[in-house]
Amino acid sequence: MHLKNLRLIHFKNYAQAELTFSPEINCFLGNNGSGKTNLLDAIHYLCLTKSAFNPVDLQNIQHQKDFFTLIGNFELKGKELEIKCILEAKKKKQIFNSGKAYEKMSEHVGLLPVVLIAPDDTALIKGGSEERRKFFDSLLSQLDRNYLAHLVRYQHFLKQRNALIKKFAERDRYDTSLLEPYDQEIVTLSKKIFTQRKNFAEQFKPILLHHYGEISGQREAIDIRYESQCNRDDFEKEFYQSLKKDLILKRTNMGIHKDDFVFEIDDFPLKKFGSQGQQKSFLIALKLAQFQVFKEKKETKPLLLLDDIFDKLDDFRISKLMELVAHHEFGQLFITDARPERTRKILQDIDADIAYYEIEKGEIQKKNN
C-alpha cells in the first residue's frame, strides 16, 4: 500500500498544495511552524477520518476560510483508490471513496492502516489511562469493525446514561426504571469489549517484548498488564451497586471506560521508574509492534509517519530504526525534520527511492536527492 499523491485546499496553513510521493521514503524538511506536521496530519485524516493532533475538525480549516478539502490517491493491493475528505463549516464532514460517500465514518476506518510516531507519544506513558485506552482502541478499531461498532455503541449509551444521572441529581430524585435500558447495554457491551481487549493484549504482548529487546539490546524486562473492572466475577453485581456513588459523582463509575493498560519495567511502573531512554525505547517498540500487527492482519504494510523523531531519539535508537528501514521492513515512510542536513546524513546510506520536500510557510518545493 502507498499514497501516490496528495492535494490540500484550505487545510491548516495551506491555501493549496499538491504533492506526488515516492513509494518508499518521503521527507518534509523545514523550520518549526512551517507546516511539515500538517502534511502528516492530512495523510492521517485520509486514513482515519480525523486529525492526529486536533480533535476539533473546524480548527483544522485555514484561518478565515469556511472549508477544507483533502484528496489522496492510494494504491492498495493493486487497486487504485481516491479518498476525499471535505469539511464545511456548519455541515457534516464527508469522506468519499472513489467518488462514493460513506454513510458512516466508521465504514472507512481500517481500510488504510497507518502508524504515527510523534513527540506527543510520551503521553502514552506519562499520561492517564485514557491515553492508553485511546491507543489500543484506535489499533483495535482498525483491525476489527465489530470492535469499533461495539465501542461506538458503548460510548453512545454511556453518554446517555451520564446525562440522565445528571438530570436525577438536578431534580434530587431518580427512577431506576429509566436507567435500566442503559444499564443493560453498558454491562453487556463492557463484557464484549473486555473480552476483545483481553484477547488482543495477550497476542500483542510477545510482539511488544520482541521489539523492545531489539531496540534496547535486551537490557531489562518489560511487561504490559491489562486491568479492567470486568475481570471481576461479580462485575455486573458491582455495577448495579455503584448507582449511589454514580448519583453522588454525577457519572458512571463502572465499565470498560475505566480500563487501563499498565506498562512495567523490571516489575515496576515504567511511568515512575523508567529512565528517559527506557521510556523512548518502549514507545518505539509499542509503535513497531502496532506496525507488525497491521502488516500481518491486513496483509499489507501500513503507512509509517515519523514526526520530528530524530530530535527526540539518541544515535543508538536512530541507528536501530534505520536498520529496519535499510532492510525494507517498512513500506512507505513519511518523515519530518527541522534540520535537513541531519535527515540527509541519516538516510545517505539507505538504498531506497527518497524524495525530499523543503517547506516554508505553507509553500512546498521538491528537491533532488
Side-chain angles (χ1 to χ4, degrees), residues 29 337 339-349 356-358 367-369:
L29 311 173
D337 194 1
R339 292 166 52 190
E341 71 286 351
R342 173 175 57 189
T343 294
R344 290 179 183 274
K345 183 178 180 181
I346 289 171
L347 297 176
Q348 65 184 356
D349 296 325
Y356 294 95
Y357 305 84
E358 292 188 1
K367 297 291 184 177
N368 296 326
N369 291 11

Side-chain angles (χ1 to χ4, degrees), residues 23 25 50 57 70 155 172 178 186 205 257 273 280 369:
I25 302 176
K50 62 183 180 180
D57 282 323
L70 302 172
Q155 290 168 343
D172 199 26
L178 295 177
I186 289 173
K205 179 178 172 178
H257 61 288
F273 294 93
K280 287 177 180 177
N369 291 11

Side-chain angles (χ1 to χ4, degrees), residues 11-12 37-45 50-53 60:
F11 183 74
K12 296 195 172 183
T37 299
N38 292 345
L39 294 175
L40 296 188
D41 206 22
I43 296 169
H44 192 276
Y45 249 111
K50 62 183 180 180
S51 168
F53 306 100
N60 296 303

